[in-house]
Amino acid sequence: ISELEQAIQRYQTSYYNGEAESTYAEFDALWDELFSLDPDNPILKKIGADSSEGFTKAAHLIPMGSQDKAADPESFAAWAAKQQFDEFLVEYKLDGASLELQYENGVFTRAVTRGDGVVGDDITRNAMKMQGVVQRFKSGGETVTAPPPPPLTGGVRGEVIMTHAVHHEYFPDKANCRNAANGLMKRKDGAGSEYLMVICYDAFFGGGELPFTDEEEKLRWLSEQGFNTVPLEICKGADAVVDYRAHVMDIRDSLDYDIDGLVIKGREIDPEDMLRARPEKQIAFKFSLEEAITVLRRVEWSESWATYTPIAAIDPVQLAGTTVQRANLNNPNMICSMNLKIGSRVVVTKRGEIIPKIEALVENPPGTVDIEQPTVCETCGTVLTDEGTRLFCPNPACPKRIHHRLEKWVDVLDIRDFGINLIKRLFDSGRLRSVSDIYTLKPEELSVLDRMGEKSAEKVYRSIRSRRTISLAAFVAGFDIEGIGETLMEKLTSAGFDTLEELLAADADDISAVNGFGDITAKILAAGLAENREEMERLVRDGVISIKPPETGGIFRGFSFCFTGELITMKRNDAEALVKSLGGTTKSSVVKGLSYLVTNTPGSGSSKNKKAHELLIPIISEEQFIAFTKTGIPSAAGEEVSSAAEKGAVQQEFDL
């Protein structure tokens, strides 16, 4: 937090007053990180930067606050859902330097920079040279020379910008248009201000009758008065705003000046909201460094289990420092809802995902063709089922599905020495066709079928027989129901569906009521349970598999563990199984809420160690973990930790 405070203050000074050290997107990332760690930090309440030396200070007529930001369609949709707008007024978010033009009785009197949002620099002399600064309001649409201008006292808000053409011709030594404009507008001698332009987007006047009644009329009036104004687009609904944003991203490079997003607001003028340091009824819908416009060239259908997932092959683009050529399309519904075609121009995003995602359609130029999707299973020839949210083979006897289930069962139950190659040979020979078949294998036939020695065959046989008492979560996960893993099943068993009978009796509505299960996942699980019900019941009824009874306690209940690095006394799978047998849970990564990270190399500098230190999660050794399994977790560690300081104290205790 301290490092972020210093960086933000340094960048604010350079960004608002001089040569910016970072891009606006990088500055935003610092700001957002500080907000996530310390939302009440006083730095976040400070707007802009201290005014420059050498200029007279002047107060704004109303505070020049900052806007809330949305960096992606999901964040914008969440904001839009809270508003009661029938339509959204959308303007360009100009990437320049903010300026307030002040007027008394219709005559220009002062120009004030943003400063700290309350007080800025009086740069009136420089502003009078800039293009687009109106000296005197018009009356009745005609320039008034003799009669006085309309008696309007207040301010006009705008952005000082430099066009690309001016930057290229006169100031190519400057890093970008914004830096060049910022430097010129703050020059004491005013030299170069004539190269700058003010583009306006807001106005406010006190007392008397206003010449406009809503935000659209306000922009029209500003234009009629001779001000340069931002383009305005009126969108019906949040989806239309997202589509328009995609369009603007596409044409952004052709604009005469820089923009870094859109400003979204309602039609009604709200003076109270304007006075807030951070208005609630408008938002900056930013462009991201992790977005780009590209062309969809073809669609490949990836087969995983029984599901066919569309993957888009796109023209290469640079996103977040990597070259991206493939993007996720999720399912047939996504293709239809966006009206995607081969040749579509699309917005592709990458937000920490391994495979980037197509976010929106920009346009379907002439010559685009429909995307064809598979109609039959390539393995068994069954007609595929298209549920919109997924395209899959519905045939329970599909060889591909059976083979995949056998591999999943062996993996979930950790049946050692029973490798993928052995599963394939037994499957290809026709010996394995169900989970039940695994438990009918004999050492002698393994020797014959797989041409392995007697000792090896006996070893595989013992591994199979040793994995017959398992948890309900592992039992269901082993049946390879799409998207249903052991961790997700543990949530269901913890919610009370902790016997096979209760689980098989549950319908999709019952399952979807459990935290972590959406409607689609619940429907898939319910269908998978129904499809495999007969074999599940037979395995348990015949005593082939014994499901452990529900845990009613356990010394690790309520605690979670993550293991990293090599363990000495046991394998990681055994350690995780031990945690679960004692009522605890395991996690594959270090996340907020984790109870302990277990490692024998706490000083290795691994990403998990670093993350644990950042989150103040106690790090314990394998020896300490084993001690916990025998004596329980010490009371000091078991108590609820409510502050970072207390967590630190617990960590110190373990370190000692």
Side-chain angles (χ1 to χ4, degrees):
I1 289 174
S2 177
E3 290 175 1
L4 286 169
E5 288 175 343
Q6 294 175 32
I8 287 172
Q9 287 178 303
R10 183 172 72 252
Y11 287 144
Q12 274 185 324
T13 299
S14 68
Y15 188 81
Y16 289 109
N17 288 336
E19 297 288 334
E21 295 180 34
S22 66
T23 66
Y24 202 87
E26 292 167 335
F27 179 81
D28 271 352
L30 293 172
W31 187 280
D32 292 342
E33 185 176 359
L34 179 59
F35 182 81
S36 68
L37 295 174
D38 186 12
D40 295 323
N41 194 291
I43 294 294
L44 301 175
K45 296 177 174 58
K46 180 179 179 181
I47 306 299
D50 294 333
S51 298
S52 304
E53 295 296 330
F55 286 96
T56 302
K57 310 309 173 192
H60 293 294
L61 299 179
I62 63 173
M64 190 174 281
S66 183
Q67 294 169 312
D68 279 335
K69 300 183 297 292
D72 53 68
E74 292 80 10
S75 301
F76 168 71
W79 173 84
K82 298 177 183 177
Q83 310 304 320
Q84 302 296 319
F85 300 155
D86 295 327
E87 55 191 7
F88 295 93
L89 275 63
V90 187
E91 305 166 358
Y92 289 171
K93 185 179 184 302
L94 304 167
D95 188 14
S98 299
L99 190 68
E100 180 179 273
L101 304 175
Q102 299 181 0
Y103 292 82
E104 291 183 13
N105 293 319
V107 177
F108 174 59
T109 58
R110 188 179 293 111
V112 184
T113 65
R114 183 172 193 165
D116 64 2
V118 178
V119 174
D121 294 328
D122 183 340
I123 62 165
T124 305
R125 287 178 299 172
N126 292 356
M128 291 180 71
K129 298 180 181 181
M130 298 176 187
Q131 304 167 45
V133 176
V134 173
Q135 305 292 323
R136 180 186 178 95
F137 291 158
K138 302 174 184 178
S139 178
E142 300 293 335
T143 302
V144 178
T145 55
L152 295 172
T153 295
V156 173
R157 287 278 169 79
E159 201 89 350
V160 180
I161 62 101
M162 177 180 286
T163 64
H164 296 151
V166 168
H167 178 254
H168 177 74
E169 183 173 356
Y170 298 104
F171 305 98
D173 59 315
K174 300 297 182 182
N176 53 56
C177 293
R178 190 192 193 287
N179 284 359
N182 221 336
L184 289 180
M185 66 184 280
K186 298 288 186 67
R187 286 191 60 157
K188 307 300 186 294
D189 59 5
S193 290
E194 65 273 15
Y195 290 111
L196 305 179
M197 176 188 296
V198 179
I199 300 179
C200 298
Y201 52 84
D202 205 355
F204 44 91
F205 301 105
E209 184 177 351
L210 295 178
F212 42 77
T213 60
D214 61 31
E215 293 288 351
E216 183 181 13
E217 288 185 7
K218 182 191 293 182
L219 277 181
R220 187 182 302 121
W221 178 84
L222 285 169
S223 180
E224 290 172 351
Q225 288 296 323
F227 292 100
N228 300 308
T229 56
V230 290
L232 175 67
E233 182 78 8
I234 300 176
C235 296
K236 302 288 186 181
D239 290 342
V241 175
V242 173
D243 292 341
Y244 178 65
R245 175 174 176 265
H247 166 71
V248 174
M249 287 178 62
D250 191 33
I251 66 170
R252 181 183 179 188
D253 290 341
S254 67
L255 299 179
D256 294 333
Y257 46 80
D258 292 330
I259 63 174
D260 59 1
L262 304 173
V263 174
I264 322 295
K265 62 181 71 172
R267 176 175 291 277
E268 179 186 356
I269 296 174
D270 190 333
E272 290 185 6
D273 196 51
M274 292 173 66
L275 290 170
R276 293 188 176 100
R278 200 171 272 262
E280 298 174 358
K281 296 186 178 180
Q282 59 178 268
I283 195 169
F285 195 175
K286 303 296 293 293
F287 300 142
S288 170
L289 291 175
E290 299 178 346
E291 294 178 306
I293 305 292
T294 186
V295 178
L296 195 164
R297 294 300 181 187
R298 68 181 184 278
V299 172
E300 303 165 358
W301 293 85
S302 173
E303 297 179 50
S304 174
W305 188 73
T307 299
Y308 290 71
T309 302
I311 303 294
I314 57 177
D315 285 349
V317 289
Q318 289 293 317
L319 287 178
T322 61
T323 301
V324 173
Q325 301 182 72
R326 291 160 62 83
N328 204 341
L329 287 172
N330 291 349
N331 52 50
N333 268 0
M334 182 176 176
I335 294 174
C336 293
S337 63
M338 289 191 188
N339 192 28
L340 296 178
K341 300 178 183 294
I342 304 299
S344 293
R345 290 175 58 76
V346 295
V347 178
V348 62
T349 64
K350 185 180 181 183
R351 299 192 183 96
E353 301 174 9
I354 297 175
I355 299 179
K357 175 186 175 185
I358 288 182
E359 197 75 56
L361 172 71
V362 176
E363 65 169 343
N364 281 322
T368 57
V369 297
D370 290 339
I371 295 171
E372 294 185 6
Q373 69 180 43
T375 56
V376 298
C377 175
E378 293 185 359
T379 302
C380 67
T382 301
V383 175
L384 298 177
T385 297
D386 183 359
E387 292 186 342
T389 55
R390 66 182 184 131
L391 179 70
F392 65 98
C393 174
N395 179 16
C398 177
K400 179 175 63 180
R401 294 183 61 182
I402 295 173
H403 188 188
H404 199 278
R405 178 176 299 144
L406 293 170
E407 290 185 354
K408 184 67 176 289
W409 181 269
V410 170
D411 178 62
V412 171
L413 270 65
D414 190 27
I415 302 177
R416 295 169 190 173
D417 307 305
F418 203 150
I420 292 177
N421 291 333
L422 176 57
I423 294 172
K424 186 177 188 307
R425 285 193 289 270
L426 291 171
F427 179 81
D428 290 343
S429 70
R431 179 62 180 85
L432 290 186
R433 281 295 180 266
S434 68
V435 170
S436 301
D437 288 345
I438 294 175
Y439 296 92
T440 63
L441 289 169
K442 303 296 182 184
E444 52 269 23
E445 61 181 324
L446 285 171
S447 298
V448 175
L449 285 171
D450 198 52
R451 300 184 299 279
M452 64 174 64
E454 290 184 7
K455 289 185 177 179
S456 297
E458 186 65 35
K459 191 175 182 181
V460 172
Y461 178 75
R462 286 199 303 270
S463 293
I464 294 172
R465 308 304 290 183
S466 69
R467 294 292 190 272
R468 295 175 58 188
T469 301
I470 59 178
S471 68
L472 178 59
F475 180 77
V476 176
F479 271 88
D480 196 28
I481 301 171
E482 185 183 11
I484 306 300
E486 196 170 352
T487 300
L488 196 58
M489 280 305 305
E490 286 171 351
K491 292 183 178 180
L492 203 57
T493 57
S494 297
F497 296 93
D498 51 11
T499 66
L500 183 60
E501 293 75 16
E502 291 174 332
L503 197 55
L504 293 175
D507 59 23
D509 290 338
D510 297 328
I511 296 170
S512 65
V514 176
N515 183 38
F517 284 84
D519 292 339
I520 295 174
T521 304
K523 182 179 178 181
I524 292 173
L525 176 56
L529 290 171
E531 179 181 299
N532 294 285
R533 179 179 190 130
E534 183 179 344
E535 186 174 14
M536 286 179 169
E537 291 180 329
R538 184 173 65 253
L539 283 168
V540 175
R541 182 181 62 246
D542 294 347
V544 177
I545 294 295
S546 175
I547 296 178
K548 297 176 184 177
E551 292 284 352
T552 57
I555 58 176
F556 281 179
R557 188 170 183 83
F559 292 89
S560 57
F561 295 79
C562 176
F563 296 87
T564 186
E566 185 178 357
L567 299 180
I568 299 172
T569 62
M570 65 184 79
K571 293 185 177 181
R572 186 178 299 182
N573 287 342
D574 291 333
E576 292 175 344
L578 181 57
V579 168
K580 293 174 183 178
S581 71
L582 295 173
T585 58
T586 61
K587 296 184 182 296
S588 59
S589 59
V590 176
V591 295
K592 187 176 181 180
L594 178 70
S595 301
Y596 302 102
L597 174 65
V598 183
T599 178
N600 288 320
T601 55
S604 68
S606 71
S607 59
K608 287 183 178 178
N609 282 336
K610 290 179 181 177
K611 191 69 174 177
H613 280 296
E614 290 173 7
L615 298 177
L616 296 175
I617 292 170
I619 301 175
I620 63 174
S621 67
E622 180 181 356
E623 183 180 0
Q624 288 170 308
F625 167 72
I626 293 173
F628 284 3
T629 66
K630 297 175 180 178
T631 62
I633 295 174
S635 59
E639 295 170 357
E640 184 69 26
V641 179
S642 59
S643 71
E646 290 172 343
K647 282 191 175 183
V650 172
Q651 178 63 62
Q652 283 187 342
E653 179 180 335
F654 286 120
D655 288 344
L656 291 172

